[in-house]
Amino acid sequence: AGKSTWVRQQGLEDFTVSPDELRVRMGLYTSRNLQGHYASNVYKEKKLWNVLLDIIEERMSRGQLTVIDATHGTPKAINMYRSLCQKYGYRAYVVDFAMPLDELLKRVAKRNKSVTNLVNNKYIPDSAVKHKYEQLGKSGIPSWVTVTTPEEASTVIPWRIEKTDEDYFFIGDIHSSYKALKELWDTEDLDNYNGKVVLLGDLFDRGIRPVETFKFISQKVQEGKAIMLMGNHDFNLYNLVNGTIIKCPGHTKKDTFYPLLKGGISEKQIKQFLRRMGQGLFIQKAGHTLYVTHGGIMPVDMSDPWALSKISTNEMIYGTGKFEEDIDTAFENYVNTTGDKVVSIHGHRNL
């Protein structure tokens, strides 16, 4: 139906996992069929999908854009990703390559005649095409995913820069310093601020008042007076309460998790709080583009509609380059060289 071609046209090859490619890597094309093409060992398919899900989880644990190049003929095939999406906070989309059956049969026949390597060397008989087509027509797509078309996907799915005239007030790493946060909030009269207050992450760890900090920020977010971005210390807490494959360091348990529980805040409340955090904020204001993250990132080529989405959550949280590298000077050099009107706002380092 053109899935792999679409992936290439969108420049998403490096962000795509493919069962067909994995079959080759796992050596599942062990013998030829009567048409002279190598056929996959169907008895090894369960292991294939387990490996594929492991790869997807590794990618999700770092917050990487992930495209799955496969035909999903039933709701069950799509629902296998649901728990991973919930665990790692992913939005899921189905790109629907719907077309008339006659056109699909023509495309498959052409593909069967022009295979050039093992990845594409899968002979698909007309009966299999018709069976899959009937499956898709009967079962529908689960309601928890968003459906889009190949033509609209690049405008529906990727991160977009928000054009705004609003003012913003940015607050850096708080680290459970409730008294300092409360003093700043009151001094600046932020309850009456005519704009958005953005907390740049690292709300917890190190400080001595995690419970008061949690309750204060929860209230301000609930009232619509603040929005939160995730920092690396918040990310540690997220991985702990959501049971991800990333191990949480002991200091986050000691400094934040256990004190929150002792202070009467449930694990469910912690999860809900963390799920309200964003990874980045990209704003166009007064002719400038603002890159707002916890770690600080370098600009991207916005001629690629997927450019912002190709930046991993890991990079937004920990920043471009190494912690000890001077990203602000690098960003300034970029601006001086290109003349681009871009601004970097971040916490985490160079403080």
Side-chain angles (χ1 to χ4, degrees):
K3 302 185 309 302
S4 301
T5 300
W6 179 84
V7 166
R8 288 194 298 273
Q9 290 172 343
Q10 297 294 318
L12 295 173
E13 299 101 312
D14 292 340
F15 300 86
T16 299
V17 291
S18 164
D20 285 341
E21 288 189 4
L22 193 56
R23 288 183 182 98
V24 174
R25 306 295 172 248
M26 292 179 66
L28 300 188
Y29 290 119
T30 54
S31 61
R32 293 174 297 164
N33 58 22
L34 295 180
Q35 290 75 29
H37 301 286
Y38 281 91
S40 176
N41 185 340
V42 296
Y43 298 105
K44 300 292 184 181
E45 286 290 294
K46 183 177 180 180
K47 186 173 183 179
L48 165 82
W49 286 99
N50 286 338
V51 171
L52 187 80
L53 288 172
D54 285 343
I55 292 172
I56 292 170
E57 182 162 18
E58 286 287 344
R59 295 183 60 85
M60 285 186 170
S61 72
R62 299 172 182 87
Q64 293 178 297
L65 171 66
T66 300
V67 180
I68 304 166
D69 181 2
T71 300
H72 299 86
T74 64
K76 182 179 178 181
I78 297 172
N79 286 336
M80 78 169 86
Y81 311 116
R82 187 171 189 176
S83 62
L84 286 177
C85 289
Q86 291 173 335
K87 183 189 293 188
Y88 293 99
Y90 268 67
R91 295 185 300 273
Y93 297 83
V94 168
V95 180
D96 188 356
F97 289 80
M99 64 183 64
L101 178 59
D102 289 348
E103 174 63 22
L104 184 59
L105 289 169
K106 288 178 184 178
R107 290 194 182 193
V108 172
K110 183 178 179 181
R111 181 182 185 275
N112 284 341
K113 293 177 182 178
S114 61
V115 292
T116 56
N117 56 47
L118 275 178
V119 173
N120 298 314
N121 200 15
K122 184 170 66 173
Y123 180 85
I124 306 175
D126 285 357
S127 58
V129 176
K130 292 175 182 177
H131 175 69
K132 184 66 69 174
Y133 195 89
E134 289 176 6
Q135 270 190 325
L136 291 167
K138 291 178 181 177
S139 58
I141 298 172
S143 60
W144 67 274
V145 300
T146 301
V147 182
T148 186
T149 64
E151 295 77 22
E152 296 177 348
S154 62
T155 58
V156 171
I157 300 174
W159 283 73
R160 291 184 293 275
I161 293 177
E162 178 186 349
K163 294 182 179 179
T164 181
D165 294 322
E166 279 192 293
D167 291 330
Y168 289 82
F169 190 99
F170 300 99
I171 301 177
D173 305 31
I174 295 167
H175 285 298
S176 293
S177 299
Y178 165 71
K179 290 180 70 176
L181 174 61
K182 181 69 164 61
E183 182 180 344
L184 172 65
W185 198 279
D186 291 343
T187 300
E188 298 294 334
D189 192 21
L190 293 179
D191 275 335
N192 297 306
Y193 180 64
N194 189 27
K196 289 183 178 178
V197 177
V198 182
L199 306 177
L200 294 172
D202 275 4
L203 308 184
F204 303 108
D205 285 356
R206 297 181 179 166
I208 61 173
R209 301 185 188 277
V211 176
E212 294 95 326
T213 302
F214 183 97
K215 290 180 178 179
F216 181 82
I217 294 174
S218 293
Q219 180 183 349
K220 298 307 177 187
V221 172
Q222 186 83 19
E223 294 171 351
K225 294 175 180 175
I227 58 177
M228 305 180 291
L229 299 185
M230 184 171 285
N232 50 296
H233 289 269
D234 316 311
F235 190 48
N236 291 338
L237 188 61
Y238 181 96
N239 288 316
L240 174 63
V241 298
N242 285 286
T244 75
I245 59 174
I246 299 179
K247 186 177 179 180
C248 174
H251 66 78
T252 294
K253 299 177 185 178
K254 176 177 174 290
D255 293 348
T256 304
F257 182 59
Y258 296 141
L260 288 179
L261 295 181
K262 189 175 180 181
I265 297 167
S266 69
E267 191 166 331
K268 181 179 179 181
Q269 288 173 305
I270 297 172
K271 282 185 180 182
Q272 291 171 338
F273 179 93
L274 293 168
R275 288 194 182 279
R276 300 191 73 164
M277 286 184 161
Q279 288 80 50
L281 186 64
F282 304 98
I283 308 163
Q284 194 171 78
K285 177 178 169 63
H288 288 73
T289 299
L290 279 62
Y291 288 76
V292 186
T293 61
H294 175 68
I297 61 173
M298 292 296 290
V300 293
D301 179 5
M302 289 305 299
S303 65
D304 177 1
W306 297 91
L308 291 176
S309 293
K310 289 177 179 179
I311 305 171
S312 69
T313 296
N314 204 71
E315 184 173 346
M316 293 187 197
I317 289 174
Y318 292 97
T320 305
K322 299 177 181 177
F323 177 82
E324 63 272 13
E325 291 178 323
D326 187 353
I327 189 171
D328 295 329
T329 297
F331 202 99
E332 185 179 353
N333 291 339
Y334 171 88
V335 172
N336 291 337
T337 301
T338 64
D340 289 354
K341 294 182 177 181
V342 291
V343 178
S344 173
I345 299 173
H346 65 91
H348 188 54
R349 55 182 176 176
N350 295 356
L351 299 177

